[in-house]
Amino acid sequence: MYRKLIVLGIAFLMILSVMPRTADAQDQILGPWLWMIAKTEAGQGGANSTDIDSLAVSSDNKVTEEMVAKNGAKEGDTVGDYKWTLAELPANGDINTVVNETGMAEGALDDVSSYALYTYKSDKAQDVTMKTGSDDSIKVWLNGEVVFTNAVNRGRGMWQDEFGISLKQGDNLILVKVSERGGGWGMHVGILETPYVPVVDILTNWLWMIARAEEGQGGAAATDVDLLAVASKDVTTEDMVAEIGASEGDSLGDYDWTLAELPQNGNLDEIANLMEVEGGLDDITAYGLVTLVADETKEVTLLAGSDDSIKVWLNGEVVHTNAVNRGRSRWQDEFTVNLRQGDNLLLVKVSDRGGGWGMHFGIRGEVETAYKTPAELGTPVEAKGKLVTTWGSLKSAK
């Protein structure tokens, strides 16, 4: 069975056959897409070329982005020095691979934009969620209208952007422009056939602790190493904090639990500087503790991005682990959890191997956050596998 891309051209009917596929939250659209590339001025690729019509520049205004977004294109037609070419997007999203393997151009390209056309068939008119990732900037049209723009220079992650779109019944023409400044070049695109629910960053009421790993053992290698236990000589453990919580000013190893907002940019170096951490910030881990206050028992979706590895506890139970060394973007991980009515204690561990260090954390929908002490939470002070004690005695000597 074939899906047909049928769009009205200015003077004729353009028809392109493509294989049908279904996309969901974890399944990107690989195509085949219909591709075109266009060079920009040196040094003007990426974010700088997001709103420059490189098709118009390359064709002396014979072909424009608006024309293609509304009317589509035909395989083999030329724009400037290149032809519209049909090819699948690799699962890793590398556009350079597409360009090289199709013979459109050779080698790695800088200061260049790709245009990719795809028809998404919907069995009904519906509001859905589109997800994208790009290196560098991205612009998306749906049925001739711009629905998303992110003029940014960045490394590519699987899902860095998400937004709502309205599909009509039948064929929906998608045009994606990815502008590359230098280095990597690629994109990810997917559609989840459920209404878009905005993601809200969880930024306030975080309580922070810092702990170091052995040299060369940060990041992924530290994911399942209890650095709180190491720092406190087993007086305090990750499981205890995840179940009981902590209080501002309590000491653990060389540092005090410190209340601070997570920066909007996710940079954990700022937290370390606030805590006056001395020495380099490689092979280091941040623990962030926050209380989510739910108005009712419900299932919610949590999202995270981290540099490097991440581990998450909710009400004393591990709900997500990703032992990876990677650059950070929003959002790289997505998972569902069950909130109970009232207070829900969330602990996030982000371990850095070297270089950048940070995290993003969000929830799909609204949630109230709070800083609450163990006494305010009403949590038992008998952690799993530990004798009954008081939280004050869990402090470790500096």
Side-chain angles (χ1 to χ4, degrees):
M1 178 179 177
Y2 289 85
R3 174 189 298 168
K4 292 185 177 180
L5 168 61
I6 305 177
V7 290
L8 291 176
I10 294 176
F12 53 90
L13 189 66
M14 302 176 180
I15 302 177
L16 170 68
S17 296
V18 296
M19 294 297 292
R21 66 179 287 113
T22 300
D24 60 28
Q26 304 302 322
D27 183 21
Q28 59 179 326
I29 300 173
L30 301 180
W33 295 79
L34 190 60
W35 298 91
M36 176 56 65
I37 61 174
K39 293 288 188 72
T40 68
E41 294 182 14
Q44 295 303 305
N48 289 338
S49 62
T50 309
D51 292 323
I52 294 175
D53 190 335
S54 295
L55 294 181
V57 173
S58 297
S59 67
D60 293 327
N61 290 315
K62 294 177 182 177
V63 179
T64 69
E65 293 175 346
E66 183 178 4
M67 290 166 59
V68 173
K70 289 182 177 180
N71 304 316
K74 185 179 179 182
E75 185 179 9
D77 280 356
T78 60
V79 177
D81 297 328
Y82 304 101
K83 293 181 179 180
W84 285 99
T85 302
L86 193 64
E88 291 229 352
L89 176 69
N92 66 2
D94 189 0
I95 294 175
N96 263 308
T97 297
V98 175
V99 170
N100 292 169
E101 291 186 353
T102 59
M104 295 178 74
E106 296 181 355
L109 301 180
D110 296 335
D111 297 313
V112 63
S113 291
S114 65
Y115 294 87
L117 276 167
Y118 183 79
T119 292
Y120 188 92
K121 184 178 288 293
S122 178
D123 59 4
K124 61 183 178 181
Q126 57 181 323
D127 294 330
V128 301
T129 301
M130 178 172 277
K131 297 188 172 192
T132 59
S134 65
D135 183 344
D136 289 295
S137 77
I138 187 167
K139 192 170 187 176
V140 182
W141 292 258
L142 175 67
N143 298 323
E145 301 294 333
V146 175
V147 292
F148 182 74
T149 300
N150 195 349
V152 63
N153 292 330
R154 64 183 179 188
R156 182 174 77 259
M158 176 63 84
W159 304 128
Q160 295 162 299
D161 311 306
E162 61 175 50
F163 47 96
I165 59 173
S166 296
L167 298 176
K168 63 185 182 183
Q169 185 175 17
D171 290 342
N172 292 267
L173 184 60
I174 298 169
L175 174 63
V176 180
K177 174 184 180 180
V178 175
S179 299
E180 163 62 12
R181 172 61 189 89
W185 183 26
M187 75 177 196
H188 301 284
V189 178
I191 290 178
L192 173 63
E193 290 196 354
T194 58
Y196 173 60
V197 178
V199 178
V200 177
D201 288 83
I202 298 175
L203 301 175
T204 60
N205 295 308
W206 288 93
L207 189 65
W208 299 97
M209 178 52 66
I210 301 294
R212 289 192 179 275
E214 295 182 10
E215 184 176 356
Q217 295 303 302
T223 309
D224 293 322
V225 177
D226 190 336
L227 295 175
L228 296 183
V230 173
S232 68
K233 299 180 181 179
D234 290 322
V235 174
T236 304
T237 68
E238 292 174 345
D239 283 347
M240 291 167 63
V241 173
E243 185 178 6
I244 296 171
S247 295
E248 182 181 14
D250 281 354
S251 300
L252 195 155
D254 296 327
Y255 305 106
D256 296 338
W257 284 97
T258 300
L259 194 63
E261 288 194 4
L262 174 66
Q264 183 75 47
N265 63 7
N267 187 0
L268 289 176
D269 288 6
E270 296 184 24
I271 301 297
N273 292 337
L274 178 67
M275 296 176 67
E276 299 182 347
V277 175
E278 297 180 354
L281 297 182
D282 295 339
D283 300 311
I284 193 168
T285 291
Y287 292 87
L289 193 65
V290 68
T291 299
L292 307 181
V293 184
D295 55 3
E296 61 181 354
T297 299
K298 57 185 174 182
E299 182 181 83
V300 298
T301 299
L302 299 178
L303 302 95
S306 65
D307 183 342
D308 290 295
S309 76
I310 188 168
K311 191 170 187 177
V312 182
W313 293 256
L314 181 68
N315 297 325
E317 301 293 335
V318 175
V319 292
H320 178 70
T321 301
N322 196 347
V324 64
N325 292 331
R326 65 184 178 188
R328 179 179 82 257
S329 65
R330 304 170 67 243
W331 301 99
Q332 295 162 297
D333 304 326
E334 184 170 337
F335 51 100
T336 58
V337 298
N338 292 311
L339 296 182
R340 61 196 181 198
Q341 186 176 22
D343 296 333
N344 295 266
L345 188 60
L346 180 76
L347 175 65
V348 182
K349 173 184 180 180
V350 176
S351 301
D352 181 52
R353 173 60 190 89
W357 180 34
M359 80 177 204
H360 299 283
F361 208 89
I363 186 169
R364 201 176 294 283
E366 297 287 343
V367 69
E368 179 186 348
T369 65
Y371 158 63
K372 295 193 177 184
T373 65
E376 290 171 320
L377 287 167
T379 52
V381 287
E382 181 181 4
K384 297 173 184 176
K386 297 290 179 180
L387 296 175
V388 176
T389 183
T390 62
W391 183 253
S393 69
L394 298 179
K395 298 181 183 179
S396 63
K398 291 188 177 181

